Amino acid sequence: MSLNNLADYLQKRFHKHYQIHDLEEAIGLHRAALEPYPSGHSDRDSSLHLLALCLVNRYDRQGDVADLEKAATFARAALEFRLPGHPRRDVCLNNLADDLQKRFHKHDLAQDLDEAIELHRAALELRPIGHSKRASSLRLLALCLSNRHDKQGVVIDLAEALSLARETMKLCPPGHTDHGVSLNTLADS
């Protein structure tokens, strides 16, 4: 079993039982999985991506800004490996955008929110109609645009956020598991 697989199981167990020691061990295993690969080696992308996810999970639980900063750094490094055409590029774009949006909420830096919006737009382009994650991309982009409108008062951001939230509602009708969160996005926009 690879270090990444074991770390993945620990992270899944963390999400089920919320035992921080599982997440701590997963972070250590992902770091160890990076060691055999020199900088620039193509096998680093998965470890970088998974390490970033674990760090942002720990940030979400414990609030240590250093974890958020490291998560954004590792997510950006993983994205460098997942160039246009890579089948999982959309996931890296989305995760880095999420990290930057969280950092915006923490530090109130407009450039983080602007970059998050651009990354969410790029992820959305890779998630066409029919893609299982399209509704999520629409919702997250709408939230970022709504946040920017709240911060800067740009009316076009609010109009686009509403349009995206309405499109999300079409993809998540009553009975859909994401209907409630989509309603909240529309209400927040």
Side-chain angles (χ1 to χ4, degrees):
M1 174 181 298
S2 77
L3 293 175
N4 279 337
N5 288 344
L6 180 56
D8 188 44
Y9 294 138
L10 288 163
Q11 187 176 14
K12 286 178 183 177
R13 190 166 74 179
F14 165 77
H15 284 295
K16 187 172 183 174
H17 301 290
Y18 297 104
Q19 298 294 319
I20 198 70
H21 61 84
D22 287 334
L23 196 54
E24 299 288 349
E25 189 176 352
I27 290 168
L29 290 169
H30 284 308
R31 287 184 193 275
L34 284 170
E35 289 176 13
Y37 301 113
S39 181
H41 193 284
S42 63
D43 287 340
R44 290 178 63 89
D45 77 315
S46 181
S47 292
L48 290 165
H49 174 75
L50 295 169
L51 178 56
L53 289 175
C54 285
L55 288 165
V56 81
N57 286 160
R58 189 168 68 182
Y59 167 76
D60 290 341
R61 293 289 289 175
Q62 298 183 331
D64 185 352
V65 177
D67 284 336
L68 181 58
E69 297 296 336
K70 290 175 193 170
T73 298
F74 287 125
R76 192 176 302 281
L79 183 59
E80 290 177 13
F81 285 100
R82 295 184 179 181
L83 301 173
H86 189 285
R88 307 258 309 142
R89 182 172 173 79
D90 64 313
V91 176
C92 279
L93 288 164
N94 184 72
N95 291 345
L96 177 55
D98 287 346
D99 295 347
L100 293 172
Q101 185 180 17
K102 287 177 184 186
R103 196 165 74 180
F104 163 76
H105 286 296
K106 191 71 177 170
H107 298 300
D108 201 30
L109 297 173
Q111 66 263 26
D112 283 340
L113 188 56
D114 291 341
E115 186 178 1
I117 288 168
E118 293 310 309
L119 292 166
H120 277 309
R121 286 189 196 285
L124 184 60
E125 286 180 22
L126 298 174
R127 295 173 170 179
I129 293 172
H131 191 284
S132 65
K133 298 289 185 181
R134 183 168 178 82
S136 174
S137 283
L138 289 165
R139 182 176 50 79
L140 294 169
L141 178 55
L143 288 171
C144 282
L145 288 164
S146 180
N147 288 335
R148 189 164 70 180
H149 169 266
D150 293 346
K151 181 74 177 161
Q152 299 173 3
V154 180
V155 176
I156 196 164
D157 284 343
L158 183 58
E160 185 179 0
L162 284 167
S163 175
L164 294 169
R166 286 187 176 116
E167 187 177 344
T168 303
M169 289 301 303
K170 290 177 187 173
L171 295 174
C172 302
H176 189 282
T177 57
D178 289 336
H179 181 72
V181 73
S182 298
L183 268 175
N184 284 338
T185 301
L186 183 58
D188 288 344
S189 296

